[in-house]
Amino acid sequence: MSREVAEELKKWILRGEFLLTERVSPIGKGEFKPMKSPVILAKDIMTTPVITARKDITLEKASKILVEYDINYLPIVDENGILIGIVTSWDIAKAVALGKKDINEIMTKKVITAYEDEPIEIIAKKMEKYDISGIPIIDKNRRIVGIVTSEDLSRLIGREK
Ligand code: SAM
């Protein structure tokens, strides 16, 4: 990357589009701060522990959990804690609209996930691509270790500013 930048700068200088001057002011001692690592990973911002439920939960109980914990995502796990689906407040609204009652009927079974070492840019791209705003973070055995939502991303941007 730095070679590319140097090459580009060289072209500008040769074309006379980037003028070099004497230094404007010296850089004082101790003014250099180490650059912050630009790569933020899922594990840096994910919410943990994650509230989960089993697939035999009723629709009413699931909606109560969402309200009680002030969350929009309820990952569904099997008896070994392995991720098998996800129910969101959007799914609950849809179930009510369509008169459906069974969690199995409304949960999304093909869950988009990420690993904790994935950069958040990749996670944001997945959210955009699949039109979702929450991604469970799993380990190699598909056990949930956290969740990243659009709220975590906006909190991060707010903090950076
Ligand atoms: N755009 C809205 C949002 O961000 O929540 C709602 C539309 S989105 C298509 C709603 C559907 O996405 C729901 O059926 C939900 O179960 C599903 N969904 C949410 N998160 C998911 C994820 N990580 N993997 C797969 N499906 C997911």
Side-chain angles (χ1 to χ4, degrees), residues 73 86 88 90-91 108 110-112 130-136:
Y73 290 84
I86 193 162
T88 69
W90 189 91
D91 293 315
T108 300
K110 191 167 179 281
V111 185
I112 309 300
Y130 296 101
D131 185 22
I132 53 177
S133 40
I135 295 201

Side-chain angles (χ1 to χ4, degrees), residues 46 72 83 86 101 110 134 154:
M46 70 189 186
N72 287 309
L83 180 68
I86 193 162
K101 297 225 158 26
K110 191 167 179 281
S154 45

Side-chain angles (χ1 to χ4, degrees), residues 9-26:
L9 207 50
K10 187 176 156 191
K11 282 186 211 153
W12 292 359
I13 293 168
L14 291 175
R15 289 203 300 261
E17 292 167 1
F18 187 96
L19 301 177
L20 298 174
T21 65
E22 287 296 316
R23 70 179 180 187
V24 178
S25 67

Side-chain angles (χ1 to χ4, degrees), residues 12-58:
W12 292 359
I13 293 168
L14 291 175
R15 289 203 300 261
E17 292 167 1
F18 187 96
L19 301 177
L20 298 174
T21 65
E22 287 296 316
R23 70 179 180 187
V24 178
S25 67
I27 297 172
K29 273 188 191 156
E31 281 179 23
F32 277 119
K33 289 194 187 124
M35 277 172 75
K36 269 204 247 162
S37 165
V39 182
I40 301 171
L41 306 175
K43 65 180 168 198
D44 298 325
I45 64 161
M46 70 189 186
T47 299
T48 184
V50 184
I51 315 286
T52 59
R54 301 280 289 275
K55 68 174 182 190
D56 54 3
I57 192 170
T58 63

